Amino acid sequence: PRLMRRVAMALLIVAAARLPAQADKGIGIVESASRKYEALSSFQAQFRQHWEDRVAIGADESRGTIYQEGKNRLAMRWSDPPKEAIILDGTWLWLYLPSTSPGEVKRFPQQNHPTYGSNFVGTFLDNPVDRYRITYLKSERIDGYVTDAVLMEPLPNTGLQFRRATVWLDRDLGLPRRLEIEE
């Protein structure tokens, strides 16, 4: 019995020693991505979006191009559905969604929440260690690019309005290749 307890204790110590190593690896990857992101003044990327809401609207897919300049200017322009756009110009949020509101443009004051406003990528890469519990998950190829998947769970009192996000960060660019957000 005493030998069994020692073996069990040794196994627990080995298992516990592995957890911080995985967390540390994820933290280092996210910190590196954060530095690369902070060095950018703007970026442009193609996006594919899949929404799933089992309670209200079901599932939907769309695609287009996202443009980010600085921390408070963003444009999402859809190619599918065509001609739809969301524009944040630093002051206003503009919505042009002809598939649901033909011929109508809506304007709202832009919310500049410090962590989850118009700076969508910044939601994950601005001061991430201060705002998330970060866990390395795996390495994976996405569209031929090597990525590292990390689980990012908002810490209490951060004001982030989601439960967790899995972010696949491109090893070279440091920007997300894929995001899965659970609200």
Side-chain angles (χ1 to χ4, degrees):
R2 190 178 248 180
L3 178 60
M4 293 299 278
R5 273 189 246 152
R6 285 186 183 167
V7 169
M9 184 62 90
L11 291 174
L12 285 173
I13 290 169
V14 169
R18 288 184 185 160
L19 292 176
Q22 284 187 327
D24 289 345
K25 182 176 181 179
I27 290 169
I29 289 166
V30 173
E31 285 177 328
S32 174
S34 178
R35 285 189 299 277
K36 290 176 183 178
Y37 169 71
E38 289 296 325
L40 298 175
S41 59
S42 64
F43 71 88
Q44 171 185 336
Q46 302 298 310
F47 71 86
R48 289 181 309 227
Q49 187 174 20
H50 174 81
W51 289 91
E52 196 171 308
D53 181 346
R54 295 182 186 120
V55 177
I57 61 172
D60 193 21
E61 301 232 357
S62 61
R63 64 182 67 239
T65 305
I66 186 171
Y67 308 87
Q68 175 90 38
E69 181 181 315
K71 296 196 182 262
N72 65 352
R73 295 180 186 270
L74 175 112
M76 291 182 77
R77 298 184 182 275
W78 277 263
S79 55
D80 180 22
K83 299 182 182 178
E84 299 211 344
I86 296 175
I87 309 293
L88 297 137
D89 66 8
T91 305
W92 299 101
L93 163 67
W94 301 86
L95 296 176
Y96 178 62
L97 307 171
S99 66
T100 56
S101 302
E104 189 175 327
V105 176
K106 296 179 183 178
R107 181 181 83 163
F108 303 95
Q110 184 171 328
Q111 300 293 316
N112 281 317
H113 186 279
T115 56
Y116 201 62
S118 58
N119 186 0
F120 183 70
V121 174
T123 300
F124 303 99
L125 297 179
D126 282 342
N127 302 314
V129 175
D130 296 336
R131 297 184 299 119
Y132 295 98
R133 179 176 39 251
I134 299 168
T135 307
Y136 181 80
L137 298 175
K138 62 183 174 180
S139 174
E140 187 174 342
R141 281 197 177 274
I142 297 177
D143 298 329
Y145 297 94
V146 177
T147 67
D148 289 299
V150 292
L151 178 65
M152 299 180 76
E153 298 172 290
L155 295 172
N157 303 316
T158 59
L160 295 165
Q161 301 297 311
F162 57 92
R163 290 183 194 191
R164 66 184 60 91
T166 302
V167 182
W168 285 261
L169 295 163
D170 184 295
R171 280 195 187 161
D172 293 327
L173 293 177
L175 292 175
R177 284 275 169 200
R178 179 183 294 160
L179 295 167
E180 283 183 11
I181 302 170
E182 182 181 325
E183 295 184 330

